[in-house]
Amino acid sequence: INKYWIALIVIATFLILTIFSGGANSKLPVKQIRILGAGVNLDATIYYPKETPAPLILIAHGFGGDKNSESQNAKLFQDRGYVVTTWSARGFGNSTGQINMNARDKEVADASKIIDFMAKDPKVIKDNSLDPKVGVMGSSYGGALALLLGESDKRVDAIVSDITWADLKQSLFPQNAKPAPISGPFKKVWAGTFFSLTSIRN
């Protein structure tokens, strides 16, 4: 093999490693922080794009996950010019508190506190001093959080919920849901599988 082919192999290898390692994402700033939620401390990460100020995206994780579950999505949007915040919901990862199944005065209020915190960040575009240009996305547990936050916090400009539920109490425990026109059986297998995920730690 001559020097020409060696050079081509080295360049090709470098390009492949760059693509699969995330390219420029590894060089963009990432900040690990603690945010005070509604009575709990939330472990969060902020991903800053190359150019700021920029719109903000909050990415909520699924049940049994934590902020690191959404790191790849965060890097994807960071690379496309957005400020991105991921966090571990209360009771997950290194955040404090107990799981309250996306209660409005708990998990939803926590997410509003994150918007409060990010509204003070000069690297985030604002509609006004207390209102950042913000979208929320998530799947399953995170998707429900996005819907509830968009309904309760009028500062949210966009919502993307990928697979979620309308009412988890009705879905898993229909015999206890009130008001409920038709009661149903306790979904034992689904509920057991769902809650057993909380014992899994990365």
Side-chain angles (χ1 to χ4, degrees):
I1 300 177
N2 59 35
K3 293 181 179 180
Y4 175 77
W5 285 107
I6 291 176
L8 282 180
I9 291 170
V10 170
I11 292 171
T13 302
F14 174 77
L15 290 174
I16 291 171
L17 290 175
T18 299
I19 291 170
F20 285 95
S21 64
N25 282 327
S26 60
K27 296 181 180 180
L28 294 175
V30 176
K31 185 178 181 181
Q32 309 292 337
I33 59 169
R34 304 286 294 186
I35 298 176
L36 181 62
V40 297
N41 284 304
L42 303 171
D43 182 29
T45 301
I46 305 174
Y47 300 78
Y48 291 108
K50 185 176 181 180
E51 295 183 6
T52 58
L56 170 67
I57 297 177
L58 303 185
I59 305 181
H61 63 79
F63 198 86
D66 61 19
K67 68 174 187 176
N68 297 316
S69 305
E70 299 299 331
S71 61
Q72 291 294 29
N73 285 330
K75 291 175 182 177
L76 178 70
F77 287 105
Q78 176 192 35
D79 197 39
R80 284 157 174 73
Y82 294 90
V83 176
V84 183
T85 301
T86 63
W87 72 101
S88 298
R90 59 171 63 211
F92 294 100
N94 292 321
S95 292
T96 62
Q98 295 183 332
I99 301 166
N100 280 267
M101 305 309 296
N102 281 333
R104 292 179 184 275
D105 61 338
K106 300 294 193 305
E107 284 89 346
V108 180
D110 291 340
S112 284
K113 292 289 187 180
I114 293 173
I115 294 178
D116 292 343
F117 181 89
M118 295 305 299
K120 301 174 184 177
D121 193 323
K123 295 184 179 180
V124 174
I125 290 176
K126 315 290 194 307
D127 288 328
N128 61 59
S129 60
L130 300 176
D131 184 1
K133 184 69 70 178
V134 56
V136 188
M137 63 180 288
S139 298
S140 190
Y141 193 67
L145 186 281
L147 288 175
L148 291 166
L149 181 62
E151 184 274 332
S152 64
D153 195 320
K154 302 309 178 185
R155 295 174 295 179
V156 175
D157 299 292
I159 302 169
V160 179
S161 293
D162 174 30
I163 66 168
T164 188
W165 56 81
D167 186 327
L168 197 60
K169 291 183 291 185
Q170 173 66 20
S171 298
L172 297 179
F173 312 100
Q175 81 284 9
N176 291 321
K178 296 180 181 179
I182 300 176
S183 296
F186 168 43
K187 310 293 180 63
K188 184 177 181 180
V189 174
W190 281 109
T193 301
F194 191 82
F195 286 102
S196 68
L197 291 174
T198 61
S199 64
I200 300 174
R201 288 290 181 264
N202 295 328

